Amino acid sequence: MTAMAVPEAPPRRAVRSLRWLLLIGGAAAASASLAATNVDGVERFGLFDVLEPAYFAGVGAVAVGFFVGLEDRRRPSVASLGCLAALIVLLHGLPGLLEPHPRFGPAWLHVGFIDHLAGGGGLLLQLDARFSWSGFFAGGGLLQRAAATEDLLWLLRFTSVAVNALACWAIYLLGRPLGLSVRQRLAAMPIFVVANWAGQDYFSPQATAFSLYLVVLTIVVTFFGDHVLDPRSRVSRLLRPAAVEALPTSARPRVAIYLACVLGAAAMVMSHQLTPFFLASALLLLSLSGVIRTRALAWIVAIGAIAWLAFAAEAYWAGHFGRLAGSVGKVGDLAAENVGNRAAGAGAARRLVLGSRIGIALVCWLGAAGTLLLAYRRRRTPLVLACLLVAPFPMVLLQPYGGEMIIRVFFFTLPAVALLLAMVIVPSHRASSLWRRVVAGFVCAAVVPAFVLARFGNESYEQVTDDDREVLAAMYDRVPDGSLVFVVNRFTVLYAERVGEVRFRELQAREAEAIVAEIDEDPRASSRRYVLLTRSQEAYGEQVSRRPARWVDALVSELKATGRFRTVERVGPSWLLQLVPR
Amino acid sequence: MRLLPALTAARFNELTDIIGLALLGGLVALLMHLDLRSARRLPIRRAEVALAVITMLVLVAVVAARFERLAS
């Protein structure tokens, strides 16, 4: 399956014309549909609720156009790249195209942290663990200063598009030393795009670290890939590896390339707590399989990550190391947290969203495993891809990470999954017939609705509405320094501005009297105490915590009935209340 | 703005911490040296590998001591 590409006759003019027609027609239909879409109707199924059939038909046409026009040339054609760009923008840029403000509270929080550092503020290590891995924030601060902008909110809207485009480029390059044809490498890219529901590609340290992960791995395999094992050895006979052909380079450039890899890994170690371990795991497996020559790089990354944790991130673990490390290896607890608890108590709509995610992940993993088995039987096991597929899974045993570890594992397996599935869709040992490519295009198009449901099914509480934005602006305008703002859940924009001056606390109580008591008893509370209730919090409560419809208005009425709160700002369903001293 | 603010925010109270950082730097340099020899298809000396392993073990002990000291 990884044999050299078989030259194929160039596609006929009719196919070329059809490809352009599908690209232009599909993109135009989808764009026109999006222009007429109103996100006010987003409810239980997120953006899926508001998208018209014309959008799905348009994106499907672009996907079919991409696969129909797949051809083996030395370089990807303009039409192929156009189809891919349209797919990435129409799928991962969807919220950016539709919503009034950049989405997702954590992305706003990262902008707030960066703004705090850019403004000369120090690290607030006790405020948030993320400050202990401050490489991303320090880099963002440098960018903000260099760009001389007020903040980096302008980067948020289409960060996902950029991260997915970079990932596609890395996947395309990664396939080259593995002997995959241009057509196979091209086919892998839309597979990654339509399967990537993980939502880890927003403006964040993990998205940056994932990009570095892919770049470092691609460079290592491309320049240091090799057969270190003796082909006659027992391990080689057992694994039946396919060829890995590194790009020939002379000694000096190779040293520079290696140092660039170490630099990339160092940036990753400083920026994110998990990704270096994913990289170390992948590099270790690659070196044990004998497909790369740089066998010490895995140890450098692992030692660097542990040393950073021990020496530079002590605020994260000092005083409660036992609680953090307590879950290591407890398979039952970790599985429950990662899978079972995520669906616990969820309504039918949320279960459908979670089901679409699990469905896509299982199809991807089973398809990739099947391809590996097939290749093994043909004595051409793509060991590099096998390693990249398997390497993320041990991370599940380390920490539940708030139940998100399995999502991250899926995300990190996706590049290998995409290349493996592409090897089945477009076999290189024979010319791929037109009908096969048409079927692949239609399958890809059929996955698009499932992708939208899985990726943007939580949009009711992950988007930032006009109401929420106005209340937040009013809050930062009016609350004085040292204020403490209580929130009923964390699904809103926190720490977007004045990170050092305005702090947030999550309330545990749900009833008005209990909330008042909790705020009064909070030892950290200052005299300036507020309660922030937003539309996104309301949507989260309804969708995940099974609260009744319009529960925020009811709660506000109860809070005001206690005589302890006055309204500071109200915009639609979003409120800012101030606690009046006794 | 400091380039590496997290490093400067860390506490290095003990001599073992300083030793740990020195070992870390030496070990990373040694591992990079081994990788570059391997990439150029030059033979790896057993003494260098042994030195890397011993350094790594000492570093693990230093890090474990730090975790033990600050864990609770």
Side-chain angles (χ1 to χ4, degrees), chain A residues 288-299:
Chain A
L288 288 176
S289 309
V291 287
I292 57 170
R293 300 202 75 87
T294 51
R295 293 177 146 191
L297 195 54
W299 295 104

Side-chain angles (χ1 to χ4, degrees), chain A residues 41-80:
Chain A
V42 167
E43 289 183 4
R44 296 176 305 165
F45 296 115
L47 290 183
F48 194 81
D49 284 322
V50 295
L51 292 172
E52 299 289 332
Y55 165 79
F56 292 109
V59 176
V62 174
V64 172
F66 179 90
F67 280 97
V68 164
L70 275 181
E71 55 197 51
D72 250 343
R73 299 161 34 146
R74 285 193 64 195
R75 290 195 178 89
S77 65
V78 175
S80 295

Side-chain angles (χ1 to χ4, degrees), chain A residues 480-499:
Chain A
D481 287 355
S483 297
L484 193 60
V485 180
F486 290 86
V487 291
V488 284
N489 61 54
R490 301 188 75 82
F491 285 84
T492 188
V493 174
L494 309 175
Y495 296 109
E497 296 173 37
R498 295 168 60 196
V499 172

Side-chain angles (χ1 to χ4, degrees), chain B residues 4-40:
Chain B
L4 298 178
L7 256 186
T8 54
R11 286 175 285 169
F12 301 104
N13 301 332
E14 304 283 329
L15 178 63
T16 51
D17 293 341
I18 307 297
I19 294 172
L21 284 176
L23 285 173
L24 176 68
L27 180 59
V28 168
L30 182 54
L31 290 173
M32 285 171 62
H33 165 73
L34 291 176
D35 255 356
L36 286 172
R37 281 188 73 84
S38 176
R40 292 161 63 193

Side-chain angles (χ1 to χ4, degrees), chain A residues 62-149:
Chain A
V62 174
V64 172
F66 179 90
F67 280 97
V68 164
L70 275 181
E71 55 197 51
D72 250 343
R73 299 161 34 146
R74 285 193 64 195
R75 290 195 178 89
S77 65
V78 175
S80 295
L81 293 179
C83 285
L84 183 72
L87 272 181
I88 294 174
V89 171
L90 289 172
L91 291 175
H92 291 277
L94 197 51
L97 294 169
L98 285 178
E99 294 172 9
H101 305 286
R103 69 186 293 278
F104 208 30
W108 286 65
L109 179 142
H110 297 150
V111 168
F113 284 1
I114 287 170
D115 186 49
H116 173 74
L117 291 181
L123 291 174
L124 303 170
L125 296 172
Q126 301 305 324
L127 176 71
D128 197 296
R130 280 167 279 203
F131 269 125
S132 292
W133 283 268
S134 59
F136 169 78
F137 302 117
L142 287 173
L143 175 65
Q144 184 173 326
R145 282 190 172 187
T149 53

Side-chain angles (χ1 to χ4, degrees), chain A residues 226 254 258 293 310-311 314, chain B residues 10-11 35 38-39 41 66:
Chain A
D226 205 347
R254 202 176 295 182
Y258 181 81
R293 300 202 75 87
F311 293 106
E314 68 178 44
Chain B
R11 286 175 285 169
D35 255 356
S38 176
R41 297 171 193 269
R66 185 173 170 83

